[in-house]
Amino acid sequence: MPKGIRVYELARELDVNSKEILELLQQQMNIELNNHMASVNDQVAAKIRKLVLSARQPAAAAPAAPPKESQPARPTKAAGKDARAASHPAAGPAGASTKASPTASPAPSDEAIEPEEEILLDPRLAELRTEERIRRQKQLREEAELRRRRERERQNQQRGRFQTEAPRIQEIALAGPVTVGELAQQMGVAATDVIRRLMAMGVMAAINQQIDVQTAARVAAEFGVRVEDRTRAAAAGGSARPAVKALLAGDDPSRAVPRAPVVTVLGHVDHGKTSLLDAIRSTRVAQGEAGGITQHIGASTVEWQGKRIVFLDTPGHEAFTAMRARGAQVTDIAVLVVAADDGVMPQTVEAISHARNAGVPIIVALNKIDKDNANPDRVKQQLAEHDLIPEEWGGDTIVVPVSAIQRKGIDELLEMILLVAELQELKADPKRRAVGTIIEAQLDRGRGPVATVLVQTGTLRRGDAFVAGRTWGRVRAMVDDRGRPLDRAGPSTPVEVLGFEDVPNAGDAFEVVADEKTAREIAQVRQEEQRREDLEARKAVSLADFHQRSRAGADKELRLIIKADVQGSLEAIRAALEKVRTEEAYATIIHMAVGAISASDVMLASASDAVILGFNVRPDANARQEAERAGVEIKTYRVIYDLVDDVRDALKGMLSPKYEEAVLGQAEVRQVFKVPNVGAVAGCYVQEGRIVRGAAARLLRAGVVVYDGRIASLKRFKDDVREVAAGYECGIGLERFNDIKEGDVIEAYEQREVSR
């Protein structure tokens, strides 16, 4: 095996700093090492010795003198070093060298310097005997080590300085609270150094205790590391839901071709959105909807004048606001349906906001113009109030009068859609891997998980491996909006895909990857991330719930298990129930999934004391029998606002007593004392009210709250006291906080119950 030497040993031999050796390796030889413990081979070490020693020689130094004693041409084994030294004299700084003996081999190059020749690179030692050179080198090493030890002792004596090597990492990303040990590991520093910095900031935390992202950022800044806060990104989905825009950015402009526009139909409930699509597609979708309201997202393709148009039909009920927003995000053009006899309604305004936030053009379809009470001018006036000024009034909003029942104005509407799409120059790369969005997903009894995918770029082929949110799969079959099987689907094509391992979430990014192994690994990483996020969320809620139950003496949480027929309905129900939630009494969804109500759902409800709500699904026989035995209530619904009304009624009468904050007193910090094994103790003067030991307290600095916790200790002189009144001095210790300064104000307060 090749010989080697560690960087710190080489630095100690040459009496230089390890950092200088690392810089020489990087600058002169393009060798980058991590730290001083790394090793280099003998050839590289020889180059470093030559560079360091040549830099120490004077510019006009004379060439090294040849050895005084002549050596035989073939040296013995014992005298090998002296013989080789005599046959290879050292070169001077100017390149001059003594003449080698006829029997000696030529001087080796920098790439092949023997260990015996390394010492001859130093002209100061060239003339010394072998034993004397070894003794002299040992003496130089001991002197250098003594100097370094004294320098370290001097630095340790400097107040406020830490023996911490600066981390090589310049930036880290945090998606939530992190333990001190994990933070130190990510920055590449010792955990003890991080703890010392926290103590200097007044935060007492052990290696396994968590600190928030803000505190972690402050500590990392002390080490020169920047922290990227991904808390909001994680809350919005984070890596579990990658942005489709980022995936679409991989298109090759040279291969882009025109694609069909994707149109979303938005508007208020019962303004005729689905009826208008019926007239366009010559179908009768609305007749099959419960209550005459569209409750799922559908996608269809229409051909007109030899060109394709893809339509997304979004529901009009206000509880499906999130679904309308998702439709606007994947669309190119928004068709706003407004009834001529009803005008602009609240959900019409919401639809306008979603379309504008998505940055898509809006075309207004003025429906129901065939009615006797239709008033198009009044509707145009209302649209103008929301900055949708019709073209005939000098604006830039296209308004097309239509009648879905009589099929009037349909051709004009389609012509305007193609005109706006032509101005947008919509293009996509059909030769890349497919990228799209999950429009709808459900669990089919015979086919398993099925999802409607809108392919936005690339070409999706049967057999492709894909990742969709936190699930993966392989395309086993594809069906278009008319039930016809497909082998491939290009850009702007909605298809129903079979082959998912699990039901994806509506709105998830759909991406084709290289193989099934890659897809499985990506999905597993996203599932693990989601599992950690759910665990942290459950822990936070559980603590708060336990505190509220202990204060109020009763359970004020209504636990629900939601089962629905499609994923979009689940999201809509969750969004609707969030509006019902209040600070005093609220509903918590402990489980939600697609499919029929099963016996396992009943068992979960029995263990969690929850109620099962089914939307467009029914319990099977086993689930019904288990519910009767366990006393679990199962309620099923067909219309979403009936479900929301029942939950709202159930929350009535569950309000807990109301609490308000009452300030007990304020004390000004006059002096701060450092007590060993205790921390900082504030010498205070109580200005008003009273300070009570164990009470909640805030530390105010220039009117800004820098700490909110409890009073850990309260003393009068050397005695522990329960409270101190105004006009007296006292010593106050705050719980787990030492960053107290003179002039701060400590405010004690409590929560008092108020009758309702």
Side-chain angles (χ1 to χ4, degrees):
M1 296 178 62
K3 297 181 180 180
I5 184 173
R6 296 189 184 274
V7 172
Y8 78 91
E9 294 175 346
L10 183 61
R12 185 170 58 188
E13 173 187 329
L14 299 176
D15 192 17
V16 296
N17 194 288
S18 299
K19 187 176 181 181
E20 298 179 9
I21 300 296
L22 293 174
E23 292 177 354
L24 281 175
L25 287 170
Q26 183 177 6
Q27 296 174 2
Q28 302 293 334
M29 304 181 185
N30 198 20
I31 300 176
E32 185 173 354
L33 300 180
N34 294 331
N35 50 49
H36 61 283
M37 295 297 295
S39 300
V40 297
N41 57 37
D42 292 337
Q43 296 181 2
V44 175
K47 292 183 181 181
I48 292 297
R49 291 189 183 96
K50 184 175 181 180
L51 290 172
V52 173
L53 295 176
S54 62
R56 292 176 178 172
Q57 297 177 18
K68 295 181 179 180
E69 299 180 4
S70 61
Q71 301 293 337
R74 298 181 62 84
T76 62
K77 183 176 182 180
K81 291 185 179 180
D82 291 337
R84 191 176 298 180
S87 59
H88 297 285
S97 60
T98 57
K99 188 174 182 180
S101 61
T103 59
S105 59
S109 63
D110 291 344
E111 287 74 11
I113 300 179
E114 296 293 334
E116 292 84 1
E117 298 169 331
E118 296 171 0
I119 196 65
L120 294 180
L121 296 175
D122 190 349
R124 297 176 299 175
L125 308 177
E127 298 181 359
L128 299 179
R129 299 180 63 86
T130 303
E131 295 81 6
E132 193 171 354
R133 287 203 305 271
I134 295 175
R135 182 187 61 78
R136 178 58 178 163
Q137 277 192 336
K138 183 177 180 181
Q139 181 180 357
L140 291 175
R141 291 184 185 129
E142 292 175 352
E143 292 176 356
E145 179 64 26
L146 179 62
R147 286 196 299 270
R148 284 193 291 269
R149 186 164 58 249
R150 289 176 178 175
E151 178 64 20
R152 285 196 299 268
E153 293 175 355
R154 184 187 67 81
Q155 292 180 355
N156 287 334
Q157 293 176 357
Q158 294 181 358
R159 187 175 182 179
R161 299 290 299 273
F162 302 105
Q163 293 297 313
T164 306
E165 185 178 354
R168 297 177 59 85
I169 301 174
Q170 302 299 324
E171 181 178 357
I172 61 175
L174 298 178
V178 63
T179 64
V180 175
E182 292 173 350
L183 178 63
Q185 183 178 6
Q186 291 190 41
M187 293 192 301
V189 299
T192 55
D193 296 329
V194 177
I195 294 175
R196 284 200 293 265
R197 297 294 174 98
L198 286 169
M199 293 174 63
M201 295 165 49
V203 179
M204 307 297 294
I207 188 172
N208 292 324
Q209 287 182 319
Q210 286 189 340
I211 56 178
D212 55 30
V213 178
Q214 291 75 15
T215 304
R218 292 170 55 194
V219 176
E222 297 287 333
F223 293 90
V225 179
R226 192 176 72 87
V227 173
E228 179 185 357
D229 187 0
R230 294 183 178 176
T231 305
R232 297 181 179 179
S239 61
R241 285 195 178 188
V244 179
K245 289 185 178 179
L247 300 176
L248 295 177
D251 281 2
D252 186 355
S254 63
R255 300 185 304 189
V257 297
R259 63 173 178 84
V262 180
V263 180
T264 298
V265 180
L266 305 174
H268 189 72
V269 60
D270 199 28
H271 274 202
K273 300 182 301 300
T274 306
S275 298
L276 179 61
L277 280 176
D278 287 347
I280 296 175
R281 300 176 301 185
S282 298
T283 60
R284 290 292 180 269
V285 176
Q287 296 177 3
E289 296 289 350
I293 302 174
T294 303
Q295 314 241 5
H296 309 145
I297 285 185
S300 58
T301 303
V302 174
E303 292 189 6
W304 189 76
Q305 293 185 353
K307 297 182 180 179
R308 295 171 55 248
I309 303 175
V310 179
F311 282 95
L312 300 181
D313 180 21
T314 57
H317 190 273
E318 63 178 358
F320 289 81
T321 299
M323 298 175 69
R324 288 204 307 271
R326 182 172 66 247
Q329 289 169 357
V330 299
T331 193
D332 302 313
I333 301 172
V335 173
L336 180 64
V337 179
V338 184
D341 62 335
D342 201 7
V344 176
M345 302 300 289
Q347 291 177 10
T348 309
V349 179
E350 293 178 10
I352 295 173
S353 300
H354 289 311
R356 283 177 173 167
N357 292 335
V360 298
I362 300 175
I363 298 176
V364 177
L366 197 58
N367 195 19
K368 302 184 181 181
I369 59 171
D370 56 303
K371 287 195 172 184
D372 296 336
N373 58 345
N375 191 348
D377 293 334
R378 181 176 65 87
V379 176
K380 293 178 182 179
Q381 179 63 38
Q382 293 174 343
L383 292 172
E385 294 175 359
H386 293 87
D387 295 331
L388 292 179
I389 303 175
E391 288 182 331
E392 58 265 30
W393 290 11
D396 55 359
T397 301
I398 300 175
V399 179
V400 182
V402 297
S403 173
I405 301 298
Q406 299 181 359
R407 302 196 177 188
K408 293 181 179 179
I410 302 300
D411 292 344
E412 290 80 357
L413 178 62
L414 297 176
E415 184 179 358
M416 291 298 104
I417 291 174
L418 292 177
L419 176 61
V420 173
E422 184 179 352
L423 295 176
Q424 288 184 283
E425 297 182 355
L426 303 174
K427 293 184 178 181
D429 180 7
K431 296 184 179 180
R432 61 168 294 185
R433 292 173 179 170
V435 174
T437 302
I438 302 294
I439 300 301
E440 189 54 271
Q442 60 184 347
L443 183 62
D444 189 272
R445 180 181 295 272
R447 300 182 297 172
V450 181
T452 301
V453 180
L454 175 64
V455 181
Q456 296 175 267
T457 188
T459 301
L460 180 63
R461 296 175 175 84
R462 191 170 60 180
D464 284 347
F466 61 84
V467 181
R470 295 183 295 274
T471 187
W472 64 280
R474 178 178 290 275
V475 180
R476 293 192 288 108
M478 289 188 296
V479 181
D480 65 6
D481 58 307
R482 299 183 183 180
R484 298 174 298 186
L486 299 176
D487 289 333
R488 61 177 60 192
S492 297
T493 303
V495 290
E496 195 175 50
V497 176
L498 283 71
F500 289 83
E501 287 293 315
D502 197 1
V503 179
N505 292 322
D508 281 346
F510 180 93
E511 179 186 8
V512 173
V513 295
D515 49 37
E516 289 188 42
K517 180 181 178 182
T518 303
R520 187 186 303 108
E521 292 175 352
I522 296 174
Q524 289 176 351
V525 171
R526 295 177 182 176
Q527 291 170 7
E528 186 63 28
E529 291 179 357
Q530 186 65 32
R531 193 176 297 113
R532 288 197 299 266
E533 294 174 5
D534 293 343
L535 184 60
E536 292 177 0
R538 282 196 295 269
K539 286 182 178 179
V541 172
S542 298
L543 292 175
D545 295 343
F546 177 79
H547 178 67
Q548 289 187 2
R549 287 196 296 269
S550 62
R551 295 287 296 271
D555 192 356
K556 302 305 178 185
E557 177 192 15
L558 178 61
R559 302 176 185 86
L560 301 175
I561 294 177
I562 309 295
K563 298 299 289 289
D565 55 343
V566 294
Q567 188 70 32
S569 298
L570 290 176
E571 294 186 2
I573 293 172
R574 178 168 54 187
L577 293 181
E578 287 178 355
K579 298 180 180 179
V580 179
R581 179 189 180 101
T582 64
E583 295 181 358
E584 297 86 355
Y586 52 92
T588 300
I589 302 175
I590 63 174
H591 177 65
M592 57 190 306
V594 174
I597 300 172
S598 62
S600 61
D601 298 326
V602 177
M603 294 176 60
L604 177 60
S606 177
S608 306
D609 193 17
V611 178
I612 300 177
L613 303 181
F615 184 72
N616 283 339
V617 294
R618 300 287 299 175
D620 54 28
N622 294 334
R624 192 179 299 106
Q625 294 173 4
E626 184 68 21
E628 292 177 357
R629 186 191 63 81
V632 174
E633 182 181 15
I634 299 178
K635 304 193 69 174
T636 58
Y637 302 89
R638 290 276 292 166
V639 180
I640 189 172
Y641 36 73
D642 292 340
L643 183 151
V644 176
D645 291 342
D646 284 355
V647 173
R648 183 182 294 109
D649 294 339
L651 293 177
K652 290 182 179 179
M654 297 177 62
L655 302 180
S656 61
K658 185 178 179 181
Y659 292 89
E660 68 177 8
E661 181 182 299
V663 177
L664 298 178
Q666 287 187 342
E668 181 185 4
V669 179
R670 299 288 178 87
Q671 193 171 357
V672 180
F673 304 94
K674 300 293 184 181
V675 180
N677 300 326
V678 175
V681 175
C684 304
Y685 176 79
V686 183
Q687 296 177 323
E688 62 179 47
R690 57 193 176 92
I691 303 298
V692 181
R693 184 180 60 193
R698 300 188 188 92
L699 183 70
L700 308 178
R701 183 170 298 161
V704 179
V705 178
V706 296
Y707 168 80
D708 194 342
R710 307 194 73 83
I711 296 177
S713 62
L714 184 65
K715 291 180 178 291
R716 278 278 297 162
F717 300 103
K718 295 184 179 181
D719 300 327
D720 291 325
V721 294
R722 184 179 180 278
E723 65 179 49
V724 178
Y728 291 92
E729 295 179 343
C730 61
I732 300 176
L734 298 179
E735 188 176 66
R736 298 179 59 82
F737 188 77
N738 293 321
D739 188 18
I740 307 175
K741 294 181 172 55
E742 295 182 7
D744 292 347
V745 175
I746 298 177
E747 181 181 80
Y749 66 94
E750 67 178 2
Q751 297 288 342
R752 294 176 180 174
E753 182 178 338
V754 180
S755 59
R756 300 179 65 89

Short mmCIF file of all heavy atoms in Angstrom, two decimals, residues 237 239-242 467-472 501-505 508-509 519-520 522-531 533-534 567 574:
data_model
loop_
_atom_site.label_atom_id
_atom_site.label_comp_id
_atom_site.label_asym_id
_atom_site.label_seq_id
_atom_site.Cartn_x
_atom_site.Cartn_y
_atom_site.Cartn_z
N GLY A 237 -47.79 22.22 1.92
CA GLY A 237 -47.63 20.96 1.18
C GLY A 237 -46.18 20.58 1.02
O GLY A 237 -45.85 19.42 1.02
N SER A 239 -42.51 19.54 0.07
CA SER A 239 -42.05 18.60 -0.93
C SER A 239 -43.07 17.54 -1.24
O SER A 239 -42.96 16.84 -2.23
CB SER A 239 -40.75 17.94 -0.46
OG SER A 239 -40.98 17.25 0.75
N ALA A 240 -44.09 17.37 -0.35
CA ALA A 240 -45.12 16.37 -0.64
C ALA A 240 -45.95 16.79 -1.84
O ALA A 240 -46.55 15.95 -2.51
CB ALA A 240 -46.02 16.18 0.58
N ARG A 241 -46.01 18.11 -2.14
CA ARG A 241 -46.75 18.59 -3.32
C ARG A 241 -45.86 19.55 -4.10
O ARG A 241 -45.96 20.77 -3.92
CB ARG A 241 -48.03 19.29 -2.89
CG ARG A 241 -49.13 18.33 -2.44
CD ARG A 241 -50.46 19.05 -2.38
NE ARG A 241 -51.53 18.14 -2.01
CZ ARG A 241 -52.82 18.47 -2.03
NH1 ARG A 241 -53.18 19.66 -2.39
NH2 ARG A 241 -53.74 17.61 -1.67
N PRO A 242 -44.96 19.06 -4.93
CA PRO A 242 -44.10 19.96 -5.68
C PRO A 242 -44.90 20.83 -6.64
O PRO A 242 -45.95 20.43 -7.15
CB PRO A 242 -43.16 19.01 -6.44
CG PRO A 242 -43.93 17.73 -6.53
CD PRO A 242 -44.75 17.66 -5.28
N VAL A 467 -45.01 9.40 -10.43
CA VAL A 467 -45.20 9.82 -9.04
C VAL A 467 -46.28 10.88 -9.03
O VAL A 467 -46.24 11.82 -9.83
CB VAL A 467 -43.91 10.37 -8.41
CG1 VAL A 467 -44.13 10.78 -6.97
CG2 VAL A 467 -42.80 9.35 -8.49
N ALA A 468 -47.23 10.74 -8.11
CA ALA A 468 -48.32 11.72 -7.97
C ALA A 468 -48.48 12.01 -6.49
O ALA A 468 -49.05 11.22 -5.75
CB ALA A 468 -49.62 11.20 -8.57
N GLY A 469 -47.94 13.16 -6.04
CA GLY A 469 -48.02 13.49 -4.62
C GLY A 469 -47.24 12.49 -3.79
O GLY A 469 -46.04 12.31 -3.95
N ARG A 470 -47.95 11.79 -2.88
CA ARG A 470 -47.31 10.82 -2.01
C ARG A 470 -47.54 9.38 -2.46
O ARG A 470 -47.28 8.45 -1.71
CB ARG A 470 -47.80 11.01 -0.57
CG ARG A 470 -47.41 12.34 0.04
CD ARG A 470 -47.84 12.45 1.47
NE ARG A 470 -49.29 12.45 1.60
CZ ARG A 470 -50.04 13.54 1.49
NH1 ARG A 470 -49.46 14.71 1.23
NH2 ARG A 470 -51.35 13.48 1.64
N THR A 471 -48.04 9.19 -3.65
CA THR A 471 -48.23 7.84 -4.17
C THR A 471 -47.53 7.70 -5.51
O THR A 471 -47.06 8.68 -6.08
CB THR A 471 -49.73 7.51 -4.31
OG1 THR A 471 -49.88 6.13 -4.66
CG2 THR A 471 -50.38 8.38 -5.38
N TRP A 472 -47.47 6.47 -6.01
CA TRP A 472 -46.76 6.20 -7.25
C TRP A 472 -47.50 5.07 -7.98
O TRP A 472 -48.51 4.56 -7.50
CB TRP A 472 -45.31 5.78 -6.98
CG TRP A 472 -45.20 4.50 -6.20
CD1 TRP A 472 -45.36 4.32 -4.86
CD2 TRP A 472 -44.94 3.20 -6.74
NE1 TRP A 472 -45.22 3.01 -4.51
CE2 TRP A 472 -44.96 2.29 -5.64
CE3 TRP A 472 -44.72 2.71 -8.02
CZ2 TRP A 472 -44.74 0.93 -5.82
CZ3 TRP A 472 -44.50 1.35 -8.19
CH2 TRP A 472 -44.51 0.48 -7.10
N GLU A 501 -50.92 3.08 -6.85
CA GLU A 501 -50.81 2.25 -5.67
C GLU A 501 -51.80 2.68 -4.59
O GLU A 501 -52.25 1.86 -3.79
CB GLU A 501 -49.38 2.32 -5.11
CG GLU A 501 -48.36 1.58 -5.93
CD GLU A 501 -48.58 0.09 -5.91
OE1 GLU A 501 -48.82 -0.47 -4.82
OE2 GLU A 501 -48.53 -0.53 -6.99
N ASP A 502 -52.14 3.95 -4.56
CA ASP A 502 -53.10 4.47 -3.60
C ASP A 502 -53.81 5.65 -4.24
O ASP A 502 -53.39 6.15 -5.28
CB ASP A 502 -52.38 4.90 -2.31
CG ASP A 502 -53.34 5.06 -1.14
OD1 ASP A 502 -54.55 4.82 -1.34
OD2 ASP A 502 -52.88 5.43 -0.04
N VAL A 503 -54.89 6.10 -3.60
CA VAL A 503 -55.66 7.22 -4.16
C VAL A 503 -54.88 8.51 -3.93
O VAL A 503 -54.59 8.87 -2.78
CB VAL A 503 -57.05 7.31 -3.49
CG1 VAL A 503 -57.83 8.48 -4.06
CG2 VAL A 503 -57.82 6.01 -3.70
N PRO A 504 -54.52 9.24 -4.98
CA PRO A 504 -53.80 10.50 -4.79
C PRO A 504 -54.76 11.61 -4.36
O PRO A 504 -55.98 11.42 -4.36
CB PRO A 504 -53.21 10.78 -6.18
CG PRO A 504 -54.19 10.14 -7.12
CD PRO A 504 -54.72 8.93 -6.41
N ASN A 505 -54.20 12.75 -4.03
CA ASN A 505 -54.99 13.91 -3.67
C ASN A 505 -55.27 14.76 -4.91
O ASN A 505 -54.39 14.93 -5.76
CB ASN A 505 -54.28 14.76 -2.62
CG ASN A 505 -54.19 14.07 -1.28
OD1 ASN A 505 -55.12 13.38 -0.87
ND2 ASN A 505 -53.08 14.22 -0.59
N ASP A 508 -52.61 17.26 -6.82
CA ASP A 508 -51.21 16.83 -6.76
C ASP A 508 -50.56 16.89 -8.14
O ASP A 508 -51.23 16.69 -9.16
CB ASP A 508 -51.11 15.39 -6.23
CG ASP A 508 -51.25 15.33 -4.72
OD1 ASP A 508 -51.16 16.39 -4.09
OD2 ASP A 508 -51.46 14.23 -4.19
N ALA A 509 -49.26 17.16 -8.14
CA ALA A 509 -48.50 17.14 -9.39
C ALA A 509 -48.28 15.70 -9.83
O ALA A 509 -47.93 14.83 -9.03
CB ALA A 509 -47.17 17.86 -9.21
N ALA A 519 -39.72 5.86 -8.71
CA ALA A 519 -41.03 6.35 -8.29
C ALA A 519 -41.34 5.92 -6.86
O ALA A 519 -41.84 6.72 -6.05
CB ALA A 519 -42.11 5.83 -9.25
N ARG A 520 -41.03 4.67 -6.53
CA ARG A 520 -41.30 4.18 -5.18
C ARG A 520 -40.47 4.93 -4.14
O ARG A 520 -40.98 5.29 -3.07
CB ARG A 520 -41.01 2.68 -5.11
CG ARG A 520 -41.41 2.04 -3.79
CD ARG A 520 -40.96 0.60 -3.70
NE ARG A 520 -41.49 -0.21 -4.80
CZ ARG A 520 -40.77 -0.67 -5.81
NH1 ARG A 520 -39.48 -0.40 -5.87
NH2 ARG A 520 -41.33 -1.39 -6.77
N ILE A 522 -39.19 8.00 -4.31
CA ILE A 522 -39.68 9.37 -4.15
C ILE A 522 -40.95 9.39 -3.32
O ILE A 522 -41.12 10.22 -2.41
CB ILE A 522 -39.91 10.02 -5.52
CG1 ILE A 522 -38.59 10.16 -6.28
CG2 ILE A 522 -40.58 11.38 -5.38
CD1 ILE A 522 -38.75 10.66 -7.70
N ALA A 523 -41.86 8.47 -3.59
CA ALA A 523 -43.12 8.42 -2.84
C ALA A 523 -42.87 8.10 -1.38
O ALA A 523 -43.52 8.67 -0.49
CB ALA A 523 -44.06 7.40 -3.47
N GLN A 524 -41.93 7.21 -1.09
CA GLN A 524 -41.63 6.87 0.31
C GLN A 524 -41.06 8.06 1.06
O GLN A 524 -41.40 8.28 2.23
CB GLN A 524 -40.67 5.69 0.35
CG GLN A 524 -41.29 4.37 -0.07
CD GLN A 524 -40.28 3.24 -0.11
OE1 GLN A 524 -39.06 3.46 0.03
NE2 GLN A 524 -40.76 2.02 -0.30
N VAL A 525 -40.20 8.83 0.42
CA VAL A 525 -39.65 10.02 1.07
C VAL A 525 -40.76 11.02 1.38
O VAL A 525 -40.83 11.60 2.48
CB VAL A 525 -38.57 10.67 0.17
CG1 VAL A 525 -38.15 12.02 0.72
CG2 VAL A 525 -37.37 9.75 0.06
N ARG A 526 -41.66 11.23 0.44
CA ARG A 526 -42.76 12.17 0.67
C ARG A 526 -43.71 11.66 1.75
O ARG A 526 -44.21 12.44 2.56
CB ARG A 526 -43.52 12.41 -0.63
CG ARG A 526 -42.70 13.11 -1.70
CD ARG A 526 -43.49 13.25 -2.99
NE ARG A 526 -42.69 13.88 -4.03
CZ ARG A 526 -43.11 14.07 -5.27
NH1 ARG A 526 -44.31 13.65 -5.63
NH2 ARG A 526 -42.32 14.65 -6.17
N GLN A 527 -43.95 10.36 1.79
CA GLN A 527 -44.81 9.81 2.83
C GLN A 527 -44.19 10.00 4.21
O GLN A 527 -44.88 10.31 5.17
CB GLN A 527 -45.07 8.34 2.56
CG GLN A 527 -45.94 8.06 1.34
CD GLN A 527 -45.98 6.60 0.97
OE1 GLN A 527 -45.45 5.76 1.69
NE2 GLN A 527 -46.59 6.29 -0.16
N GLU A 528 -42.88 9.81 4.31
CA GLU A 528 -42.20 9.99 5.59
C GLU A 528 -42.26 11.45 6.02
O GLU A 528 -42.48 11.75 7.20
CB GLU A 528 -40.75 9.52 5.48
CG GLU A 528 -39.99 9.54 6.79
CD GLU A 528 -40.57 8.60 7.81
OE1 GLU A 528 -41.17 7.58 7.41
OE2 GLU A 528 -40.44 8.88 9.02
N GLU A 529 -42.08 12.37 5.10
CA GLU A 529 -42.18 13.79 5.43
C GLU A 529 -43.59 14.13 5.92
O GLU A 529 -43.77 14.84 6.92
CB GLU A 529 -41.82 14.64 4.21
CG GLU A 529 -40.36 14.57 3.83
CD GLU A 529 -40.06 15.41 2.60
OE1 GLU A 529 -41.03 15.97 2.03
OE2 GLU A 529 -38.90 15.51 2.22
N GLN A 530 -44.60 13.63 5.23
CA GLN A 530 -45.97 13.89 5.64
C GLN A 530 -46.27 13.27 6.99
O GLN A 530 -46.99 13.85 7.81
CB GLN A 530 -46.94 13.36 4.58
CG GLN A 530 -48.40 13.71 4.84
CD GLN A 530 -48.65 15.20 4.76
OE1 GLN A 530 -47.98 15.90 3.99
NE2 GLN A 530 -49.58 15.69 5.56
N ARG A 531 -45.72 12.09 7.26
CA ARG A 531 -45.94 11.43 8.54
C ARG A 531 -45.35 12.26 9.68
O ARG A 531 -45.97 12.40 10.74
CB ARG A 531 -45.32 10.04 8.51
CG ARG A 531 -45.75 9.15 9.67
CD ARG A 531 -45.17 7.75 9.52
NE ARG A 531 -45.67 7.10 8.33
CZ ARG A 531 -44.93 6.79 7.27
NH1 ARG A 531 -43.64 7.08 7.26
NH2 ARG A 531 -45.46 6.20 6.22
N GLU A 533 -44.87 15.54 9.64
CA GLU A 533 -45.69 16.74 9.78
C GLU A 533 -46.99 16.43 10.52
O GLU A 533 -47.41 17.19 11.40
CB GLU A 533 -46.00 17.32 8.40
CG GLU A 533 -44.77 17.84 7.67
CD GLU A 533 -45.10 18.28 6.26
OE1 GLU A 533 -46.30 18.26 5.90
OE2 GLU A 533 -44.17 18.64 5.52
N ASP A 534 -47.63 15.32 10.19
CA ASP A 534 -48.87 14.95 10.88
C ASP A 534 -48.62 14.67 12.34
O ASP A 534 -49.43 15.02 13.21
CB ASP A 534 -49.50 13.73 10.20
CG ASP A 534 -49.99 14.03 8.80
OD1 ASP A 534 -50.13 15.23 8.48
OD2 ASP A 534 -50.21 13.09 8.02
N GLN A 567 -61.95 12.22 -3.81
CA GLN A 567 -61.02 13.01 -3.02
C GLN A 567 -61.42 14.48 -2.98
O GLN A 567 -61.24 15.17 -1.98
CB GLN A 567 -59.60 12.87 -3.60
CG GLN A 567 -58.52 13.50 -2.75
CD GLN A 567 -58.28 12.75 -1.47
OE1 GLN A 567 -58.45 11.53 -1.44
NE2 GLN A 567 -57.90 13.44 -0.42
N ARG A 574 -63.64 19.43 4.31
CA ARG A 574 -62.68 19.97 5.26
C ARG A 574 -62.65 21.49 5.23
O ARG A 574 -62.62 22.14 6.28
CB ARG A 574 -61.28 19.41 4.96
CG ARG A 574 -60.21 19.95 5.89
CD ARG A 574 -58.92 19.18 5.76
NE ARG A 574 -58.46 19.11 4.38
CZ ARG A 574 -57.43 18.39 3.98
NH1 ARG A 574 -56.77 17.66 4.86
NH2 ARG A 574 -57.07 18.37 2.71
#
